[in-house]
Amino acid sequence: MNVIFLVACCVCLVVARQQYANTAATPIPILVDQRIPIDQLGGYGFKIQTGNGIAWQETGAATSKSGQYTFTHPDGTPHTLSYTAGVGGFHPVSDLLPTPHPLEPWHIEQIRFAESQRAAAASASGTTAV
């Protein structure tokens, strides 16, 4: 029984090896690789471009950084994202980022009503509304 199990495992390994042997990845060339070494104040920078259209550049210091990357989606849509990051958090900027649905006038009315109810309840209990 053990011999049959061992032979079955070997056959599975050989079959799986044949499937992945034909999917060798083609190396993608690095076209640009510029780096600014880290200085005494923590500043740095780099710029990278590859042969498949990916580009990324970033500069930064000890507490903040900014940069941009670009690539093309499989459907052909170009994607560019610029960003800054620091004490205030990460702030991306791109036309392809999802945005919230705009509020309708009745949404705003409901929000104001809820805020007034919260303030009234807080004043009745003697605390301040948050």
Side-chain angles (χ1 to χ4, degrees):
M1 187 68 160
N2 289 336
V3 173
I4 294 173
F5 178 73
L6 181 62
V7 170
C9 287
C10 290
V11 169
C12 289
L13 288 173
V14 169
V15 170
R17 171 86 173 136
Q18 290 174 352
Q19 291 175 355
Y20 293 110
N22 297 331
T23 61
T26 304
I28 298 170
I30 304 294
L31 303 176
V32 175
D33 186 355
Q34 299 173 345
R35 298 169 192 252
I36 300 170
I38 299 174
D39 62 21
Q40 293 179 348
L41 300 175
Y44 69 95
F46 62 84
K47 181 178 184 178
I48 299 170
Q49 289 180 321
T50 62
N52 62 353
I54 297 173
W56 183 18
Q57 62 185 18
E58 182 175 291
T59 58
T63 60
S64 65
K65 64 176 71 178
S66 64
Q68 176 180 9
Y69 66 81
T70 60
F71 65 91
T72 303
H73 287 278
D75 67 356
T77 306
H79 179 83
T80 300
L81 184 131
S82 300
Y83 60 88
T84 57
V87 177
F90 180 75
H91 303 283
V93 177
S94 174
D95 292 339
L96 298 177
L97 289 175
T99 56
H101 189 275
L103 294 176
E104 298 290 334
W106 64 272
H107 290 130
I108 297 169
E109 180 183 336
Q110 289 293 314
I111 292 169
R112 287 187 182 138
F113 176 74
E115 289 172 349
S116 68
Q117 293 291 328
R118 214 174 285 127
S123 65
S125 67
T127 60
T128 58
V130 178

